[in-house]
């Protein structure tokens, strides 16, 4: 059985720094007919379970700990009996949403998990949040970037726990090093080939064919 990617969009809210916004989040499920992993657990356990079906969930992988990405992670864990995995640098962010529950496994740069015959490799990409990570699936030709990289450029860095210079360096060092035809699956919005993102030449995203200062606004 070949590994595949299942996808749904779920709606809810994102809250930070005293503001609350309506948001649509992507949920990604990677695996085969027998087992899978869930990437992010935003607003609805039932919507995620509909994607999972009767498969065994091996892990709940969190790209970062903003509430619109981990809100139902503990409840989902209870339903599927799978560990929550998060980079420990996001502990303060996690505790803004969950004070009574912790995650189970610390992610780190290079951490790998194999499911359904395919391997996802963790890339630590701080900037949008201290513990932000991406998951590269080379066999599937894609990377799951959470809120680190979108079709229009880097994720937001105007709120607490974020760092604009750091997210640029993360994108340069970790994401622009991937093959150009890698498909970028984001936490919100549409997927695009990495090459088209690199060539977008927004004020803060440029092709890796130029020197590092080219990412400066």
């Amino acid at each position: 059985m070949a590994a595949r990617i299942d996808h749904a969009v779920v709606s809810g809210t994102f809250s930070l720094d005293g503001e609350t916004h309506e948001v649509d989040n992507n949920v990604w499920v990677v695996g085969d007919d027998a087992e899978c992993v869930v990437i992010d657990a935003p607003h609805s356990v039932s919507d995620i379970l509909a994607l999972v079906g009767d498969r065994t969930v091996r892990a709940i992988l969190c790209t970062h700990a903003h509430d619109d990405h981990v809100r139902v992670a503990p409840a989902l864990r209870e339903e599927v009996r799978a560990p929550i995995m998060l980079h420990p640098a996001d502990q303060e962010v996690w505790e803004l949403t969950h004070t009574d529950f912790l995650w189970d496994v610390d992610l780190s740069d290079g951490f790998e998990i194999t499911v359904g015959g395919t391997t996802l490799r963790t890339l630590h990409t701080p900037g949008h949040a201290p513990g932000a990570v991406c998951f590269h699936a080379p066999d599937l030709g894609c990377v799951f970037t959470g809120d680190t990289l979108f079709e229009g450029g880097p994720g937001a860095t105007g709120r607490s726990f974020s760092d604009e210079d750091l997210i640029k360096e993360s994108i340069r060092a970790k994401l622009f090093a991937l093959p150009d035809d890698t498909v970028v699956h984001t936490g919100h919005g549409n997927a695009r080939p990495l090459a088209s993102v690199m060539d977008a030449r927004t004020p803060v995203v440029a092709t890796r064919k130029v020197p590092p200062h080219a990412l400066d606004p």
Side-chain angles (χ1 to χ4, degrees):
M1 294 178 289
R4 68 178 191 271
I5 301 168
D6 294 299
H7 169 238
V9 177
V10 295
S11 300
T13 61
F14 162 65
S15 297
L16 188 63
D17 295 337
E19 298 180 354
T20 297
H21 303 274
E22 299 288 332
V23 289
D24 295 328
N25 285 68
N26 292 322
V27 176
W28 305 98
V29 175
V30 181
D32 58 15
D33 289 342
E35 61 178 10
C36 63
V37 295
V38 175
I39 299 177
D40 285 338
H43 315 291
S44 167
V45 170
S46 61
D47 287 338
I48 297 171
L49 292 178
L51 277 184
V52 168
D54 60 1
R55 291 178 285 179
T56 299
V57 178
R58 297 300 182 191
I60 302 163
L61 305 177
C62 302
T63 61
H64 62 294
H66 283 158
D67 63 353
D68 61 319
H69 290 258
V70 301
R71 180 173 287 114
V72 302
L76 181 63
R77 175 175 58 188
E78 291 303 307
E79 289 287 339
V80 301
R81 301 298 176 182
I84 300 169
M85 301 187 181
L86 177 74
H87 195 286
D90 253 13
Q91 180 168 350
E92 283 189 79
V93 186
W94 171 273
E95 290 175 348
L96 294 176
T97 303
H98 299 298
T99 57
D100 298 328
F101 304 98
L102 288 175
W103 63 96
D104 305 290
V105 177
D106 286 347
L107 293 173
S108 59
D109 193 63
F111 179 95
E112 293 183 346
I113 182 168
T114 298
V115 62
T118 197
T119 298
L120 285 80
R121 186 172 189 268
T122 304
L123 308 174
H124 184 209
T125 52
H128 180 69
V133 300
C134 301
F135 300 104
H136 181 215
D139 293 343
L140 299 176
C142 66
V143 61
F144 301 90
T145 59
D147 288 1
T148 293
L149 182 63
F150 296 104
E151 60 177 328
T157 53
R159 299 184 176 95
S160 297
F161 306 104
S162 65
D163 185 312
E164 182 180 357
D165 290 336
L166 189 54
I167 198 172
K168 293 178 193 176
E169 179 55 31
S170 292
I171 292 169
R172 275 196 297 260
K174 298 294 178 63
L175 298 182
F176 284 4
L178 301 178
D180 289 357
D181 60 354
T182 302
V183 176
V184 178
H185 292 304
T186 61
H188 312 267
N190 300 319
R192 285 185 67 180
L194 182 61
S196 69
V197 176
M198 292 193 294
D199 290 339
R201 299 182 185 274
T202 67
V204 286
V205 176
T207 172
R208 59 179 163 184
K209 313 280 193 303
V210 296
H213 67 268
L215 287 187
D216 295 338

